[in-house]
């Protein structure tokens, strides 16, 4: 499966570094339009040809007009498009009306939707899932089953080795605060629920579930 990550700004490079470890992945940088509002956008043919080869496109395009133009040009040529940067429910609804486009509130909230290609991707990247190996009340190993696209799950997993199981979920949720999470910025400064807090809760829940499973298995 081939993944293409496209950006016109500072976001996407960490997702590329993480995702390329599991899938064939391209990282494409576009120049944003010079103005916030443009009447017509020319999409470079060479970039479009690269994107057409992907099964899934992850878009970190910040310019809204460029974002919608890319989705309009490519949605029928790829299996799925995940838009990681968007502003406002109206824009989200417009993008998702294409049918095979999703605009998650947070990139670490991706879960299966029934599409085989999409589900193959989110079996590896999306809402965090971990497996914990404990000896007594100490964590000796954490295996990341599903990682957040930005790599924060692996960061937290590495930090949790050696920690006590008694406070592990809370520590995992707090530790994500030390990872330079860009969720609030990619969501373009939304004033609803803090996206970093959402990411912390996802990781706390992942470690809670893993602890419960480890206790049940043992």
């Amino acid at each position: 499966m081939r993944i293409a990550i496209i950006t016109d700004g500072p976001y996407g490079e960490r997702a590329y570094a993480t995702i390329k470890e599991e899938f064939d992945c391209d990282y494409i940088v576009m120049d944003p339009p010079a103005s916030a509002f443009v009447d017509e956008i020319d999409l470079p043919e060479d970039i479009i040809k690269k994107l057409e080869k992907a099964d899934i496109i992850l878009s970190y395009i910040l310019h809204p007009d460029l974002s919608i133009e890319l989705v309009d040009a490519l949605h029928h040529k790829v299996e799925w498009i995940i838009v990681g940067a968007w502003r406002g429910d109206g824009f989200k609804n417009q993008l998702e009306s294409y049918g095979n486009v999703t605009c998650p509130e947070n990139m670490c909230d991706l879960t299966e939707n029934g599409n085989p290609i999409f589900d193959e991707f989110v079996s590896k990247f999306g809402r965090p899932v971990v497996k914990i190996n404990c000896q007594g009340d100490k964590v000796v190993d954490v295996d990341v089953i599903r990682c957040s696209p930005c790599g924060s799950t692996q960061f937290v997993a590495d930090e949790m080795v050696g920690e006590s199981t008694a406070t592990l979920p809370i520590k995992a949720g707090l530790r994500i605060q030390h990872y330079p999470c860009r969720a609030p910025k990619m969501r373009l400064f939304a004033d609803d629920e803090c996206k970093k807090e959402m990411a912390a809760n996802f990781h706390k829940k992942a470690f809670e579930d893993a602890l419960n499973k480890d206790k049940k298995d043992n």
Side-chain angles (χ1 to χ4, degrees):
M1 183 166 68
R2 174 172 286 186
I3 310 298
I5 297 173
I6 185 162
T7 183
D8 63 350
Y11 309 119
E13 73 278 4
R14 288 189 308 191
Y16 171 64
T18 304
I19 292 169
K20 71 177 182 178
E21 296 299 318
E22 294 286 345
F23 297 111
D24 183 5
C25 190
D26 293 322
Y27 182 62
I28 301 167
V29 179
M30 289 189 70
D31 292 326
S35 173
F37 302 99
V38 291
D39 294 327
E40 185 174 348
I41 294 178
D42 292 325
L43 299 176
E45 186 177 348
D46 59 331
I47 289 179
I48 294 299
K49 286 182 178 180
K50 287 181 182 179
L51 293 170
E52 286 176 353
K53 296 177 182 178
D55 296 296
I56 292 178
I57 295 173
L58 271 66
S59 173
Y60 292 94
I61 297 292
L62 298 179
H63 194 288
D65 293 328
L66 179 55
S67 180
I68 197 70
E69 285 290 332
L70 282 168
V71 169
D72 188 65
L74 293 161
H75 75 96
H76 60 293
K77 296 182 178 180
V78 300
E79 193 71 26
W80 212 269
I81 300 176
I82 302 170
V83 178
W86 51 275
R87 184 197 298 268
D89 289 338
F91 188 58
K92 171 185 171 76
N93 293 337
Q94 182 180 4
L95 289 170
E96 291 186 341
S97 69
Y98 285 95
N100 64 334
V101 179
T102 186
C103 303
E105 290 287 337
N106 194 315
M107 288 294 282
C108 55
D109 190 25
L110 295 169
T111 56
E112 291 82 357
N113 67 7
N115 176 277
I117 298 296
F118 186 89
D119 288 357
E120 181 182 353
F121 175 75
V122 300
S123 70
K124 296 293 184 180
F125 300 104
R127 188 177 295 182
V129 177
V130 299
K131 181 180 179 181
I132 296 174
N133 180 19
C134 300
Q135 289 184 359
D137 64 349
K138 293 293 183 182
V139 176
V140 296
D141 185 54
V142 180
D143 184 20
V144 176
I145 307 301
R146 179 162 62 194
C147 187
S148 58
C150 69
S152 59
T153 308
Q154 188 62 60
F155 169 81
V156 173
D158 293 341
E159 293 288 311
M160 292 302 102
V161 174
E163 293 287 349
S164 168
T165 58
T167 56
L168 187 67
I170 293 174
K171 285 183 178 179
L174 291 173
R175 196 59 182 159
I176 198 70
Q177 307 295 325
H178 295 272
Y179 191 77
C181 175
R182 295 174 175 177
K185 294 181 180 180
M186 284 196 298
R187 186 63 175 76
L188 304 186
F189 306 101
D191 57 5
D192 50 347
E193 181 186 356
C194 173
K195 305 308 171 187
K196 183 173 280 192
E197 182 180 351
M198 182 184 291
N201 288 333
F202 286 145
H203 285 82
K204 178 184 175 184
K205 179 68 163 53
F207 279 80
E208 285 177 344
D209 291 345
L211 277 178
N212 290 335
K213 188 174 190 308
D214 182 74
K215 291 176 182 178
K216 183 179 178 181
D217 292 343
N218 294 298

